[in-house]
Amino acid sequence: MKQALVLFLLTVANHTLGARNDEAEGHCQRFLTDPTTAPIVDNPRNLEVDNEAERWCRLVMDDNDLPQNIRGVVMEGLTHLLMKHIDQGLADRKNDAYELHQSLVTTFPDSARFLVQAAIFANEKMGRPGEAVTALKARLGDVQQKSDEEKELVAMGRRLLEHLDQPDTAASSEL
């Protein structure tokens, strides 16, 4: 009897903790893909809607079994959202955006786009050019360069690194 109860509880806990959150995924997907709310679209932001959607998207990312491609899309979407908030003057979002940039680079170490975006953000928004230089030096040689876009991003990363390595120029990533 005890074994059956323990097995039942383990099964329920595993199902509950490992189950996909379909409701959260639906809300997050609609937010990230709807042209009226998507962070990549240049729209005025509704902070109430954004905060609710961010909560749903973070619930999606809590799923340890979430496929990497979906995790990347959600993380990148949230990064764009936080950048929009920072551009609106919400400086308290900087640390969240910085952590998401770091997570993207760590989770997808071969992505030139995530690496270059994170380096620019660390330098321009966080005032941490040394961290940008360190990240670029450590990872720039490991990123994919299969497409023309990836090759251009690597070239941009190299220019940024060269620019940041010069004294008196680390304050701006303008290339």
Side-chain angles (χ1 to χ4, degrees):
M1 178 71 164
K2 282 185 179 181
Q3 286 179 329
L5 180 60
V6 169
L7 184 57
F8 172 75
L9 290 175
L10 285 174
T11 303
V12 169
N14 186 39
H15 176 67
T16 303
L17 296 174
R20 301 288 292 270
N21 188 333
D22 293 335
E23 182 181 14
E25 286 184 19
H27 284 286
C28 181
Q29 180 183 16
R30 276 189 299 281
F31 174 76
L32 294 176
T33 59
D34 183 334
T36 64
T37 59
I40 61 170
V41 178
D42 203 14
N43 289 330
R45 305 307 313 165
N46 178 329
L47 294 179
E48 198 171 297
V49 170
D50 287 354
N51 290 337
E52 181 68 14
E54 181 182 355
R55 187 179 68 76
W56 287 115
C57 289
R58 288 192 183 273
L59 284 172
V60 170
M61 290 192 320
D62 285 344
D63 179 357
N64 292 330
D65 297 323
L66 188 67
Q68 287 295 83
N69 61 327
I70 295 172
R71 183 173 304 283
V73 168
V74 173
M75 290 172 74
E76 187 172 21
L78 286 177
T79 302
H80 283 288
L81 175 65
L82 295 174
M83 295 298 293
K84 296 274 186 176
H85 288 176
I86 292 165
D87 290 343
Q88 286 183 312
L90 300 173
D92 63 326
R93 303 309 319 255
K94 280 186 181 180
N95 287 330
D96 292 334
Y98 185 68
E99 288 173 9
L100 265 175
H101 277 295
Q102 288 180 318
S103 293
L104 277 167
V105 171
T106 302
T107 306
F108 303 96
D110 59 345
S111 171
R113 183 174 72 240
F114 296 155
L115 175 62
V116 172
Q117 287 173 350
I120 290 170
F121 183 80
N123 180 54
E124 291 183 354
K125 301 292 185 184
M126 298 301 289
R128 299 178 180 175
E131 290 184 26
V133 168
T134 300
L136 289 168
K137 283 182 177 178
R139 299 199 181 227
L140 200 53
D142 297 332
V143 297
Q144 288 184 17
Q145 296 187 57
K146 295 177 183 174
S147 70
D148 289 340
E149 178 188 9
E150 289 169 330
K151 290 174 186 173
E152 179 54 36
L153 283 164
V154 169
M156 179 188 286
R158 287 191 179 114
R159 289 190 306 270
L160 177 59
L161 180 59
E162 183 179 300
H163 177 75
L164 292 176
D165 263 348
Q166 295 176 9
D168 301 333
T169 61
S172 170
S173 296
E174 300 281 328
L175 299 177

